[in-house]
Amino acid sequence: MVNTITAATTGTTGASSSSSSSEAGSALSSDFDTFLKMLTVQMQNQDPLNPIESSDYAVQLATFSQVEQSVITNDLLEGLSAQLGLMGFSELSGWVGMDARSEAAAYFDGASPVTLTGEFATAADTGVLIVRDADGAVVQKLTMVPTDHAFEWSGHDGNGDAFEAGLYSFEIENYHNGDYLSTTMVEGYSRIVEARSDDGDVVLVLAGGNEIGSDDVTALRDPS
């Protein structure tokens, strides 16, 4: 069961690679034609008293063939890499529209409660939920009983008025018999609105503009 905590309870390079491969392949084709012309001229103008050994021709052809095969292999590898990248994005597309849980600031839309998950200190008999705005200023403190790890922040002050829409971060101060013990982090759910790749790392853009890495996500849920 998820409890709602409100003020009443108180006292966060494919195109370039393809172009480079095409240019390399075109250059290789042009160089191979030039190589064959040079080889033909070399055969026609060799010294009859000191002809070039056939083994030398074979070495030249083999060397150029190795270069040709290397370029073809690179093209195949780049194509495979592109396909794998598309497969990865296909899987990531399923993340967009989902709610992701992380320690990043959560977005409050001005009306809907924010679902939170927090760990209390083992010895704590009282917890205080600290709510901070996007600038890091404390905007609310709510007393909690450390029983449920899942709860909701209603987003309303002591007068029942909603806070402004925006990003809010949360933490729990743990107390025992009135003595401060420790501060523990709180994770919140935010909607994923975009998934992209930055230098091979997957970046998720959350509602409100916050960005996190895919490794920062500890849970996903269907908002419906």
Side-chain angles (χ1 to χ4, degrees), residues 52-71:
I52 299 176
E53 297 289 339
S54 59
S55 58
D56 292 335
Y57 290 124
V59 170
Q60 295 179 43
L61 286 170
T63 301
F64 200 92
S65 178
Q66 289 176 354
V67 174
E68 181 183 27
Q69 290 300 318
S70 295
V71 173

Side-chain angles (χ1 to χ4, degrees), residues 121-162:
T122 303
D125 55 21
T126 303
V128 176
L129 179 67
I130 308 297
V131 184
R132 300 179 185 273
D133 61 17
D135 296 324
V138 176
V139 297
Q140 194 172 40
K141 292 185 178 183
L142 302 172
T143 301
M144 304 171 59
V145 177
T147 54
D148 297 319
H149 295 293
F151 45 91
E152 290 183 337
W153 177 61
S154 69
H156 292 78
D157 61 21
N159 297 321
D161 298 323

Side-chain angles (χ1 to χ4, degrees), residues 94-188:
W95 287 38
V96 177
M98 299 287 283
D99 286 345
R101 190 180 74 192
S102 71
E103 292 184 356
Y107 180 71
F108 174 60
D109 61 9
S112 304
V114 178
T115 302
L116 304 173
T117 300
E119 294 292 336
F120 295 88
T122 303
D125 55 21
T126 303
V128 176
L129 179 67
I130 308 297
V131 184
R132 300 179 185 273
D133 61 17
D135 296 324
V138 176
V139 297
Q140 194 172 40
K141 292 185 178 183
L142 302 172
T143 301
M144 304 171 59
V145 177
T147 54
D148 297 319
H149 295 293
F151 45 91
E152 290 183 337
W153 177 61
S154 69
H156 292 78
D157 61 21
N159 297 321
D161 298 323
F163 285 97
E164 294 183 358
L167 294 173
Y168 292 86
S169 57
F170 309 87
E171 60 187 15
I172 294 175
E173 289 184 350
N174 298 278
Y175 293 87
H176 178 72
N177 292 333
D179 296 326
Y180 171 78
L181 297 176
S182 63
T183 297
T184 51
M185 293 301 298
V186 173
E187 296 180 335

Side-chain angles (χ1 to χ4, degrees), residues 41-53 57:
V41 172
Q42 180 181 355
M43 295 174 66
Q44 293 174 342
N45 295 278
Q46 60 181 317
D47 185 354
L49 298 179
N50 186 24
I52 299 176
E53 297 289 339
Y57 290 124

